[in-house]
Amino acid sequence: MAIGLWKRSPDRRPLAIAHRGGAALAAENSISAFKTAAAAGVDAIETDVRLTRDGVPVCVHDPDLSRLCGDPRAVSDLDLATLRSLLPSIVTLGDALGASDPLGILLDIKLSHEGQIAQIISDVAQCDAMRRALIGLRSIALIDTTRRLSKDVAILAFLEDPACADAARAAGADWFRLWQGWATPAVSDAVREAGMRVAVMVGQPRSIALPEYPPFPVGQVDQYGLERILAIKPDAILLDDPRMMTRPTVST
């Protein structure tokens, strides 16, 4: 069971989190990806949350549909029925909460207004998923807002500067995301000293990697890179192919 997952003992193995539901396993953020990731033995599913024009929370990473189906319109400009006609695999937040049960679920919130965050928290609570949910937020202000809305929900800081760790903790964050390139022992230790757990996102913060370490786009990693991450003993690792963490190592 995933109850208490985000407050687990820090001396256990890292949690395996399926990024975008397990984007290497099936269409990203789809029920098929969630189910395949679950069958592979993940601890949690990560997915993205945006709002449709008619106010429905849906699990779509990009602000528009250009990459997914060649339609340049924004998710926020389309109602759910239209989105489903363009992208049949689209998942609502309610669908994702149901399909991920009993695993943990990390929600990367692509929203910025207090009322929208309050809606997400309400939806999570109504689905009885509060104790297995981790809310990912991208600003100190939103972390503070969310903590004021709920004393109980677990919060992950998706911030772009690890130097913000102390401020994130003061605002109410429980976890801090480090990109693979930042994930050094010193930075990881600083996050822990601030009072938070460490989640490492593999790859670079972009869809097309630049010629620098790590040489992969967001979500992708090789075995060498994964071993380097494991060496700093993070509390969780996000990756497109969670089987790299969950399947037994084959000796040759």
Side-chain angles (χ1 to χ4, degrees):
M1 295 290 288
I3 291 175
L5 185 74
W6 306 115
K7 300 182 185 300
R8 67 200 292 275
S9 171
D11 60 357
R12 296 174 58 191
R13 66 168 179 80
L15 300 173
I17 303 179
H19 178 240
R20 300 188 195 174
L25 308 177
E28 67 181 52
N29 290 324
S30 67
I31 296 296
S32 178
F34 295 173
K35 289 183 176 180
T36 306
V42 300
D43 300 288
I45 302 292
E46 185 269 352
T47 191
D48 308 278
V49 180
R50 297 184 181 276
L51 286 182
T52 66
R53 187 179 66 187
D54 47 343
V56 180
V58 290
C59 300
V60 183
H61 177 271
D62 298 357
D64 60 51
L65 300 180
S66 297
R67 177 177 62 87
L68 294 175
C69 63
D71 192 312
R73 288 178 291 178
V75 172
S76 59
D77 290 338
L78 301 170
D79 60 31
L80 180 59
T82 302
L83 282 166
R84 280 181 166 156
S85 71
L86 296 166
L87 194 66
S89 65
I90 196 166
V91 173
T92 67
L93 175 59
D95 295 335
L97 291 169
S100 62
D101 191 19
L103 300 174
I105 185 163
L106 166 54
L107 303 175
D108 184 350
I109 307 298
K110 309 289 192 181
L111 306 169
S112 58
H113 300 298
E114 180 171 341
Q116 296 171 329
I117 303 298
Q119 176 185 346
I120 300 304
I121 292 175
S122 176
D123 289 349
V124 170
Q126 287 180 15
C127 289
D128 196 26
M130 189 68 77
R131 293 186 66 190
R132 61 186 183 88
L134 179 63
I135 305 296
L137 300 163
R138 296 178 175 274
S139 75
I140 297 293
L142 281 179
I143 292 169
D144 181 70
T145 292
T146 302
R147 182 53 70 215
R148 286 189 287 106
L149 289 168
S150 173
K151 294 181 180 179
D152 299 323
V153 69
I155 297 174
L156 181 146
F158 276 121
L159 302 179
E160 294 306 317
D161 185 354
C164 295
D166 286 325
R169 180 56 179 164
D174 307 289
W175 287 71
F176 197 96
R177 185 276 314 274
L178 296 178
W179 284 99
Q180 183 179 347
W182 306 346
T184 64
V187 173
S188 178
D189 288 347
V191 170
R192 290 199 175 94
E193 287 168 7
M196 292 177 291
R197 292 174 174 81
V198 175
V200 176
M201 177 72 248
V202 305
Q204 296 183 20
R206 51 187 63 87
S207 296
I208 300 175
L210 297 178
E212 58 191 45
Y213 183 83
F216 299 104
V218 58
Q220 297 181 27
V221 67
D222 61 6
Q223 196 62 42
Y224 168 74
L226 187 59
E227 288 171 0
R228 285 185 56 166
I229 295 169
L230 290 169
I232 68 167
K233 298 182 178 179
D235 300 287
I237 300 175
L238 291 84
L239 66 174
D240 287 359
D241 189 351
R243 296 171 300 182
M244 295 180 69
M245 290 181 64
T246 61
R247 63 190 171 199
T249 302
V250 177
S251 300
T252 59

